[in-house]
């Protein structure tokens, strides 16, 4: 789950300004008008990835669902940190180099909040209500983020991860048995990738199994960046639902994350609800995309898939390589500069938007030799860390659980279905292009 979501506090209201400020830009548009800006940009400039004013414009086009757009490599060749134009028409610094991403993840001068007096004037990355704009207060953000990590650490203890890893094994076995009872072909996305993270979320957070389809629908809508009103409606419904769960756990605690948070002293209920909601969303959506992309990478390399089935000791390295190679989303992790930053030959000014493309950075040839080559034994020869789970204080609190879940899926899948293979060419697979998390719409397989 992306750790940057923990930084999202309540939206900061603009500070009151004098009635007249001649030196500023013309009065800003109302919120609804701002949210329509991506549509206007597409109308004015329909070709994605083209140049405008010397800047490359996001989103870039992919040649296929598996590989990141070639424009990212071209951008990195110009420099590891370069300006681009976002989907909303604003400018932002794109971080595509591994070393640069590694350093900037740990740089305290970058934050999820906007340092100016009016966050509505911050550069927008997209119309996503949670990932396209700033959140929180620059004065309290760092302290709040570290406090949230301390609060969550016991909920992802070694004991709980071990217990949940055992549950993941049982859940995967059940899903694969159900898959084996079907007549091929089938959709691995629907049969395994989607249901497993929801079932694991039910275990981790104590969400009733009968509510899993409702949560899946809310999660999919919340991730959209092309329909902010749809995303906000899902956000409201999910918030209300989680608030009810928190109230239930105060009266009837159990061995789950919501109960852990509900029992804490001094943490406001609204903050508990928001944190739980974001963890549930992140843990679900990112797991779905990682399972899909990991399976696709393995099935595109049948000799490595066969090796994995024959030798379980290869599973941990295979998981790391799948995490490194998977680039399901082109949205990037949003940050704002809280001070001027000199890095890699450029100056990021206070208030500038920064997009850390950690998935693209994991394909940097300066960090990984032959980076586009999939090799499940690579971990043995590489000393460079993958940035799939972030870095430093922004390292994902649920990383070990995510690794355990992926290891359970791929170790068992390769043994249970040794003849598994794609049912359609790569060119026929379709990506989910309108969500922050990205992913596949389907993954047809046969066996």
């Amino acid at each position: 789950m992306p750790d940057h979501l923990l930084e999202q506090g309540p939206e900061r209201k603009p500070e009151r300004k004098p009635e007249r400020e001649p030196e500023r830009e013309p009065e800003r548009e109302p919120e609804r008008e701002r949210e329509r800006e991506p549509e206007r940009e597409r109308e004015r400039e329909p070709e994605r990835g083209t140049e405008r004013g010397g800047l490359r414009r996001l989103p870039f086009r992919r040649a296929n669902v598996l590989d990141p757009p070639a424009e990212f490599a071209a951008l990195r060749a110009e420099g590891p940190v370069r300006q681009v134009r976002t989907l909303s028409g604003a400018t932002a610094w794109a971080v595509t180099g591994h070393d640069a991403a590694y350093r900037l993840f740990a740089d305290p001068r970058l934050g999820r909040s906007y340092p100016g007096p009016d966050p509505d004037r911050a550069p927008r990355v997209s119309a996503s209500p949670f990932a396209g704009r700033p959140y929180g207060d620059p004065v309290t953000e760092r302290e709040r983020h570290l406090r949230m990590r301390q609060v969550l650490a016991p909920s992802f203890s070694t004991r709980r991860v071990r217990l949940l890893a055992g549950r993941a094994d049982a859940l995967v076995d059940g899903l694969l048995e159900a898959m084996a009872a079907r007549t091929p072909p089938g959709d691995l996305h629907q049969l395994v990738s989607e249901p497993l993270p929801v079932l694991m979320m039910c275990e981790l957070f104590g969400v009733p199994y009968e509510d899993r389809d409702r949560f899946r629908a809310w999660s999919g809508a919340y991730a959209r960046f092309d329909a902010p009103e749809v995303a906000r409606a899902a956000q409201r419904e999910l918030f209300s639902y989680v608030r009810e769960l928190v109230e239930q756990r105060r009266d009837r605690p159990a061995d789950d994350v919501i109960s852990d948070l509900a029992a804490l002293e001094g943490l406001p209920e609204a903050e508990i609800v928001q944190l739980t909601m974001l963890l549930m969303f992140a843990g679900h959506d990112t797991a779905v995309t990682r399972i899909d992309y990991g399976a696709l990478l393995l099935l595109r390399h049948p000799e490595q898939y066969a090796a994995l089935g024959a030798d379980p000791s290869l599973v941990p390295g295979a998981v790391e390589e799948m995490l490194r190679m998977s680039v399901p989303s082109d949205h990037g992790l949003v940050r704002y500069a809280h001070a001027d930053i000199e890095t890699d030959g450029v100056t990021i000014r206070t208030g500038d938007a920064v997009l850390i493309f950690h998935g693209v950075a994991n394909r940097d040839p300066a960090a990984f030799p032959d980076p586009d080559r999939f090799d499940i034994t690579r971990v043995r020869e590489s000393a460079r860390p993958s940035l799939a789970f972030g870095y430093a204080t922004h390292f994902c609190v649920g990383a070990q659980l995510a690794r355990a879940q992926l290891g359970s899926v791929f170790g068992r899948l390769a043994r249970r279905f040794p003849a598994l293979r794609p049912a359609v060419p790569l060119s026929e697979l379709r990506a989910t292009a309108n969500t922050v998390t990205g992913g596949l719409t389907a993954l047809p397989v046969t066996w």
Side-chain angles (χ1 to χ4, degrees):
M1 66 192 66
D3 184 68
H4 71 290
L5 290 175
L6 302 187
E7 298 155 358
Q8 294 186 182
E11 291 188 35
R12 185 164 57 99
K13 300 299 182 183
E15 295 179 5
R16 193 172 185 84
K17 290 186 171 60
E19 292 184 8
R20 188 173 182 81
E21 292 189 2
E23 73 280 7
R24 289 194 177 276
E25 294 294 322
E27 184 178 339
R28 65 182 184 277
E29 298 172 319
E31 186 65 23
R32 289 178 183 271
E33 292 299 306
R34 291 184 66 90
E35 289 169 349
R36 290 180 56 206
E37 187 61 24
E39 298 175 15
R40 292 197 183 98
E41 287 294 324
R42 282 193 290 271
E43 291 169 3
R44 290 194 295 262
E45 190 176 15
E47 287 302 317
R48 299 187 299 171
T50 58
E51 300 280 344
R52 190 181 91 170
L55 298 180
R56 297 177 186 270
R57 186 178 185 278
L58 299 172
F60 299 146
R61 291 189 183 277
R62 289 185 176 224
N64 58 66
V65 297
L66 195 55
D67 296 316
E71 282 87 351
F72 279 121
L75 192 64
R76 185 171 52 230
E78 297 171 8
V81 182
R82 284 291 180 270
Q83 277 194 314
V84 295
R85 194 169 300 281
T86 71
L87 182 63
S88 293
T91 58
W93 293 97
V95 182
T96 57
H98 185 276
D99 285 350
Y102 189 78
R103 282 184 278 102
L104 290 173
F105 260 125
D107 197 317
R109 294 171 294 178
L110 286 178
R112 193 64 182 80
S113 59
Y114 183 64
D118 186 352
D120 282 345
R121 290 187 180 274
R124 298 295 183 90
V125 174
S126 71
S128 168
F130 79 94
R133 57 179 298 167
Y135 273 83
D137 188 326
V139 176
T140 60
E141 176 184 349
R142 184 170 176 79
E143 178 185 351
R144 180 182 181 275
H145 176 68
L146 294 175
R147 178 164 60 92
M148 289 299 99
R149 290 186 65 85
Q150 292 172 349
V151 163
L152 288 170
S155 297
F156 293 89
S157 65
T158 301
R159 180 193 69 85
R160 178 168 280 163
V161 169
R162 189 180 298 117
L163 289 172
L164 288 169
R167 284 296 297 143
D169 292 344
L171 292 170
V172 171
D173 285 339
L175 292 171
L176 296 185
E177 283 303 313
M179 179 173 159
R182 297 172 57 94
T183 300
D187 180 5
L188 194 68
H189 175 79
Q190 186 178 43
L191 296 173
V192 178
S193 304
E194 276 203 329
L196 179 63
V198 173
L199 293 171
M200 287 297 293
M201 181 205 64
C202 292
E203 297 282 340
L204 181 61
F205 293 95
V207 175
Y209 285 102
E210 58 269 24
D211 292 343
R212 59 189 182 274
D213 290 337
R214 293 169 65 197
F215 174 81
R216 188 182 301 172
W218 288 329
S219 183
Y222 186 37
R224 291 181 62 174
F225 61 72
D226 65 330
E229 292 198 6
V230 172
R232 281 201 172 88
Q235 183 182 32
R236 289 191 294 270
E237 292 179 25
L238 186 54
F239 188 94
S240 297
Y241 174 76
V242 174
R243 183 170 53 194
E244 291 179 8
L245 291 179
V246 171
E247 291 171 354
Q248 292 171 13
R249 290 301 186 278
R250 288 196 191 280
D251 296 332
R252 299 184 299 278
D255 186 16
D256 56 49
V257 172
I258 295 180
S259 297
D260 293 347
L261 297 177
L264 291 172
E265 296 284 343
L267 197 62
E269 181 174 278
E271 196 164 344
I272 293 173
V273 173
Q274 183 185 47
L275 180 59
T276 302
M277 180 183 74
L278 292 169
L279 287 171
M280 289 167 64
F281 166 74
H284 170 262
D285 277 44
T286 55
V288 171
T289 60
R290 296 299 187 181
I291 294 171
D292 273 346
Y293 274 72
L296 183 56
L297 283 163
L298 281 170
L299 297 181
R300 293 274 295 172
H301 299 83
E303 73 291 346
Q304 297 190 56
Y305 181 72
L308 189 64
D311 185 358
S313 71
L314 294 174
V315 170
V319 168
E320 294 306 311
E321 182 69 345
M322 285 183 276
L323 288 168
R324 184 190 72 82
M325 285 283 289
S326 298
V327 190
S329 171
D330 299 329
H331 193 277
L333 303 182
V334 184
R335 299 286 189 272
Y336 292 91
H338 290 185
D340 288 358
I341 301 172
E342 300 280 348
T343 182
D344 298 284
V346 302
T347 301
I348 301 173
R349 298 295 183 189
T350 302
D352 283 358
V354 177
L355 285 168
I356 302 179
F357 292 99
H358 58 309
V360 174
N362 281 333
R363 299 283 192 104
D364 186 351
F368 301 97
D370 196 6
D372 296 324
R373 173 176 57 87
F374 180 68
D375 180 3
I376 62 175
T377 66
R378 182 189 294 270
V379 70
R380 299 174 180 174
E381 63 187 44
S382 176
R384 294 295 188 98
S386 163
L387 296 172
F389 291 118
Y391 176 64
T393 59
H394 304 289
F395 187 78
C396 175
V397 293
Q400 292 309 312
L401 180 58
R403 286 184 170 112
Q405 185 177 185
L406 293 173
S408 180
V409 170
F410 295 116
R412 282 166 162 70
L413 184 68
R415 291 195 299 275
R416 185 68 179 80
F417 291 91
L420 192 71
R421 58 195 183 277
V424 299
L426 182 65
S427 60
E428 292 186 16
L429 296 178
R430 294 292 174 262
T432 304
N434 63 343
T435 67
V436 172
T437 49
L440 302 177
T441 59
L443 182 52
V445 295
T446 190
W447 55 92

